[in-house]
Amino acid sequence: MQPFTRITSRVVALPIDNIDTDQIIPARFLKTISKEGLGQHLFADWRYNPDGSPKPDFPINQPGAREARILLVGDNFGCGSSREHAPWALIDFGFRAIISTSFADIFRNNALKNGLLPVVVDIDTHRQLFEMAEADPSTVLTIDLAEQSLILPNGKQVYFPIDTFNKKCLLEGIDQLGYLLKQEPLIQAYEALHPARVSTRIMEE
Amino acid sequence: MTSTPCTLFDKIWDDHVVVEEPDSPAVLYIDLHLIHEVTSPQAFDGLRRRGLRVRRPHQTVATIDHSIPTTPPEVPIADPQAARQIQQIVENCREFGIPLYGVGSPTRGIVHVIGPELGLTQPGMTIVCGDSHTSTHGAFGALAFGIGTSEVEHVLATQCLLQRKPRTCQVYVDGYLNKGVTAKDLILGLIAQIGSGGGTGYVFEYAGPAIRALSMEERMTVCNMSIEAGARAGMIAPDDTTFEYLAGRLYAPKGEAWDAALKRWRALPSDPDARFDHTITLDARRLEPMITYGTNPAMAIPVTGVVPDPAGVSDLGERQAMEKALRYMGLRPGQRLLGHPIDVVFIGSCTNGRLSDLRQAASVLKGRRVKEGVRVLVVPGSQSVKRAAEAEGLHRIFLEAGAEWRESGCSMCIAMNGDQLQPGQYAVSTSNRNFEGRQGPGGRTLLASPLTAAAAAITGVVTDPRTLLE
């Protein structure tokens, strides 16, 4: 996983609540068996016309959006399906951080495991960010993970929460499976005390 | 023994924590890992890259449900990508020794239908799957939740997950459901009340007389859609209804093991004084048949109601989402949905694709004809559901009414397998998501119960099913 330390970037704003993972990447693109190349399908049904041409007024189609690393979205981002293709598509497009007032649980977990930082801000900051992005689409923000701070163009700093474990994993690019694999002796000890509660070996009916 | 009263969730959680180091999430042991073709291939690739094996192949079970066509199995899969994905899970299961209920299996079906049906889903277990509707299995008093593909890889490799302890919320449903009002209406009513993010960070435990009175299949419908309120999981304490359902199922304990299991399971329900972090109450007597008008499951109203006006919503993001939803749906504020023409009816999915759902739909369709010009797709949740429905002649009722009777799968709930809406079409669907494009690009979904869906099939318009019930 690519470490996340500090980014300074312009912002793409999508002021819509409850953006579900079917919008982030529609299900018809989940027939892939790879993680690669999903950025082209990001927000596919919002971003392209039925003939495949881009809709020029959709925010990620606008000039400068390709360089943006930060996506600013409405409340409860990433609700719905558990598809990890959603963060894979966001990252493949170029995003490294998403700012919202809240994230759906599974999306948040999936994002953190891929080096995509969910930044939760309060309602006032959220509104202010949308106003800034609307007034000036080239608005640049800085996100400093070590400091857990979001720095606005006017110098204002806003702190955001993140748990110690995920913060460390992101800062150092640590893969969480490595941590789990190191617990092997404890997992063995648990299994010795708790026999399997079911066996899925195929039985004849 | 411990003196602190515990919830059902606390008991299962505590029983599955392998270790919890300071400043780290708990390492939670997983009893049962269900996998399917869409969210697993990249996880198996990860195992290969690291040279890892599947730690507990016999606490894992695979099936094929999302991208599989619902046409007869002898018909070749037309979509080469779907065929490739299906072939991939067959190869992965063979390579890693995982049992697979594959294409020709008589017990293949939607992962959340076959787990309970085979008796794999049992009270007190931790169950995960790379699918958000894993919450379904909580109906048995299990802790069951959806995970992403990285976590699928974690569980394959270690049989464990890193988890932060969620908060608990009791959803107390007082009273009993009226005639024509179903478990689907109950859960849509709850989601409409609390919003699609109203349960974020919580595990729901459903309780109260209305919940106790539900059959296992109805309980599964309720728990299934917990995720549509953002809840991590939904659970219902096991009781005699649960045990009667499980007794004699293929993988359920037998003989002395059954007696021992019953003893453990009877100790699972929340203690009388157990504390929840939050409580929500709902009155079942006040619920009516529900239908969605918008593009998330919280945008639901009684079928007799009117489409709300976004102008009355103060929050900007919420208002814009609602305006966007109404534009997409081609509906106006203040409009009645009753009498609104529809093009397609879909009866199926992990929410409402079980035998009792098909019986309900059949009770409305029996002796009637589907309205001309309406396409009705009935897709059983599993091959076992299909056989059971055919054994009691339900398929004849559907076919004689003019509906299509298909092989099992996720089908038009997620529209990955060729079963989909055309742009602009309206569908009354018994599935779980009305997101934009969920049932096909440009398709417009109205979520409802099997009764309401079947009523719309007959009349060709949104209909209060109570007007068609005997």
Side-chain angles (χ1 to χ4, degrees):
Chain A
M1 188 172 82
Q2 197 186 344
F4 188 110
T5 50
R6 182 185 165 100
I7 56 170
T8 296
S9 157
R10 57 181 289 161
V11 183
V12 172
L14 271 180
I16 300 165
D17 283 2
N18 305 314
I19 295 177
D20 58 81
T21 52
D22 274 87
Q23 306 319 311
I24 300 172
I25 181 162
R28 61 185 182 279
F29 302 114
L30 310 190
K31 282 179 272 188
T32 174
I33 53 171
S34 152
K35 300 179 184 182
E36 311 301 325
L38 295 174
Q40 60 182 312
H41 307 308
L42 180 67
F43 296 116
D45 288 342
W46 287 355
R47 177 176 161 197
Y48 302 113
N49 291 306
D51 69 358
S53 60
K55 295 180 180 175
D57 55 346
F58 187 67
I60 68 168
N61 289 335
Q62 284 167 19
R66 290 271 11 166
E67 289 72 51
R69 298 287 168 264
I70 302 172
L71 181 67
L72 172 66
V73 291
D75 190 53
N76 193 33
F77 184 76
C79 58
S81 153
S82 63
R83 61 190 70 167
E84 197 161 322
H85 308 68
W88 294 337
L90 287 159
I91 293 165
D92 189 51
F93 184 87
F95 291 116
R96 295 299 316 278
I98 318 279
I99 305 175
S100 179
T101 36
S102 76
F103 294 90
D105 282 333
I106 307 177
F107 176 83
R108 183 179 169 279
N109 281 341
N110 287 343
L112 287 165
K113 288 189 173 56
N114 288 279
L116 179 68
L117 177 67
V119 176
V120 174
V121 295
D122 61 88
I123 294 171
D124 291 335
T125 304
H126 195 233
R127 189 183 306 122
Q128 191 185 354
L129 290 171
F130 274 117
E131 284 164 6
M132 282 178 164
E134 196 184 356
D136 177 8
S138 65
T139 294
V140 168
L141 299 176
T142 294
I143 297 172
D144 188 321
L145 178 58
E147 295 290 320
Q148 294 182 222
S149 85
L150 175 70
I151 303 153
L152 277 48
N154 59 11
K156 183 182 166 190
Q157 281 199 44
V158 179
Y159 295 92
F160 60 85
I162 183 166
D163 62 276
T164 318
F165 182 80
N166 277 308
K167 181 176 174 178
K168 183 177 156 68
C169 289
L170 284 171
L171 282 172
E172 298 174 18
I174 297 173
D175 185 277
Q176 298 189 9
L177 180 52
Y179 177 88
L180 270 173
L181 287 167
K182 280 192 216 141
Q183 310 294 333
E184 177 62 23
L186 291 171
I187 299 170
Q188 278 186 26
Y190 179 91
E191 286 180 331
L193 285 173
H194 302 83
R197 291 171 179 94
V198 70
S199 166
T200 65
R201 210 175 287 273
I202 289 203
M203 292 189 253
E204 297 303 322
E205 277 174 283
Chain B
M1 288 300 286
T2 172
S3 57
T4 316
C6 289
T7 64
L8 166 64
F9 165 79
D10 295 329
K11 292 179 193 185
I12 299 176
W13 177 271
D14 292 347
D15 199 28
H16 288 83
V17 173
V18 173
V19 60
E20 190 169 5
E21 293 180 333
D23 289 333
S24 298
V27 175
L28 194 72
Y29 195 78
I30 302 304
D31 293 319
L32 175 64
H33 186 194
L34 307 167
I35 61 174
H36 63 78
E37 74 277 22
V38 175
T39 57
S40 65
Q42 298 87 348
F44 285 107
D45 280 349
L47 294 184
R48 280 190 205 96
R49 253 197 322 275
R50 293 168 195 261
L52 294 169
R53 67 199 170 95
V54 172
R55 194 168 195 290
R56 291 280 170 237
H58 293 109
Q59 286 172 242
T60 314
V61 71
T63 193
I64 297 169
D65 53 8
H66 282 64
S67 51
I68 192 164
T70 53
T71 43
E74 55 276 15
V75 178
I77 299 172
D79 178 345
Q81 261 198 312
R84 177 82 190 84
Q85 192 170 58
I86 288 165
Q87 186 53 34
Q88 190 64 48
I89 195 167
V90 173
E91 286 167 18
N92 286 337
C93 287
R94 192 182 299 135
E95 180 180 341
F96 290 93
I98 293 172
L100 168 69
Y101 286 93
V103 173
S105 164
T107 37
R108 185 191 61 75
I110 304 177
V111 65
H112 309 308
V113 176
I114 69 167
E117 213 166 58
L118 295 170
L120 289 165
T121 300
Q122 294 169 24
M125 282 186 175
T126 47
I127 302 175
V128 297
C129 175
D131 191 286
S132 60
H133 293 110
T134 309
S135 57
T136 312
H137 307 264
F140 290 79
L143 174 60
F145 53 90
I147 56 177
T149 299
S150 294
E151 291 177 316
V152 169
E153 186 181 344
H154 293 184
V155 180
L156 289 173
T158 68
Q159 204 58 33
C160 289
L161 267 183
L162 288 166
Q163 285 289 302
R164 239 159 243 295
K165 194 174 182 174
R167 287 168 292 174
T168 54
C169 174
Q170 186 190 50
V171 178
Y172 189 87
V173 190
D174 207 0
Y176 296 96
L177 294 169
N178 290 313
K179 189 175 160 74
V181 184
T182 68
K184 179 64 161 290
D185 303 305
L186 189 163
I187 189 65
L188 283 173
L190 172 73
I191 300 163
Q193 180 177 316
I194 66 175
S196 61
T200 302
Y202 289 96
V203 166
F204 285 171
E205 183 184 335
Y206 299 96
I211 300 296
R212 285 292 131 219
L214 297 178
S215 70
M216 279 319 296
E217 296 195 351
E218 293 170 317
R219 291 179 188 186
M220 285 188 247
T221 299
V222 171
C223 289
N224 172 276
M225 287 190 71
S226 303
I227 182 69
E228 308 312 332
R232 195 83 186 87
M235 313 173 82
I236 294 174
D239 60 10
D240 288 341
T241 304
T242 322
F243 310 143
E244 278 163 27
Y245 178 98
L246 277 171
R249 301 238 166 214
L250 188 60
Y251 290 95
K254 310 280 187 315
E256 283 177 22
W258 171 261
D259 297 334
L262 262 190
K263 203 172 160 218
R264 285 198 313 275
W265 295 345
R266 287 195 194 282
L268 284 170
S270 294
D271 299 326
D273 301 322
R275 283 174 55 91
F276 291 86
D277 297 306
H278 189 56
T279 302
I280 297 168
T281 55
L282 199 67
D283 188 346
R285 290 160 294 210
R286 297 179 55 151
L287 287 170
E288 289 189 65
M290 298 290 290
I291 192 159
T292 61
Y293 62 87
T295 54
N296 73 50
M299 295 182 180
I301 52 174
V303 70
T304 52
V306 297
V307 175
D309 190 346
V313 177
S314 57
D315 181 79
L316 175 72
E318 201 183 327
R319 184 166 66 241
Q320 288 189 340
M322 208 163 144
E323 286 165 352
K324 189 174 188 326
L326 293 187
R327 271 198 308 279
Y328 182 83
M329 294 298 292
L331 296 172
R332 298 181 315 278
Q335 182 180 353
R336 268 187 196 289
L337 286 183
L338 277 183
H340 193 283
I342 56 119
D343 306 288
V344 174
V345 169
F346 173 64
I347 296 167
S349 86
C350 60
T351 309
N352 282 130
R354 299 183 182 79
L355 185 61
S356 59
D357 301 309
L358 301 188
R359 281 180 184 153
Q360 289 204 334
S363 74
V364 174
L365 290 167
K366 190 173 184 179
R368 294 184 169 117
R369 285 288 303 173
V370 167
K371 182 79 175 176
E372 206 184 319
V374 176
R375 182 187 182 199
V376 180
L377 207 60
V378 186
V379 181
S382 70
Q383 295 306 94
S384 303
V385 169
K386 181 168 190 270
R387 274 194 311 279
E390 289 177 351
E392 51 186 81
L394 300 183
H395 65 309
R396 276 199 303 275
I397 296 176
F398 297 131
L399 290 168
E400 283 164 13
E404 297 172 43
W405 175 243
R406 294 299 194 98
E407 300 295 309
S408 67
C410 299
S411 180
M412 206 185 270
C413 173
I414 189 161
M416 285 183 72
N417 75 333
D419 299 338
Q420 65 181 72
L421 298 179
Q422 298 306 308
Q425 282 189 323
Y426 287 94
V428 178
S429 176
T430 68
S431 54
N432 41 57
R433 289 188 173 137
N434 51 347
F435 298 149
E436 283 183 36
R438 171 79 179 188
Q439 296 192 289
R444 295 150 160 176
T445 303
L446 309 169
L447 299 176
S449 75
L451 288 178
T452 306
I458 300 298
T459 58
V461 296
V462 173
T463 299
D464 184 342
R466 293 170 297 192
T467 60
L468 292 181
L469 294 179
E470 310 245 316

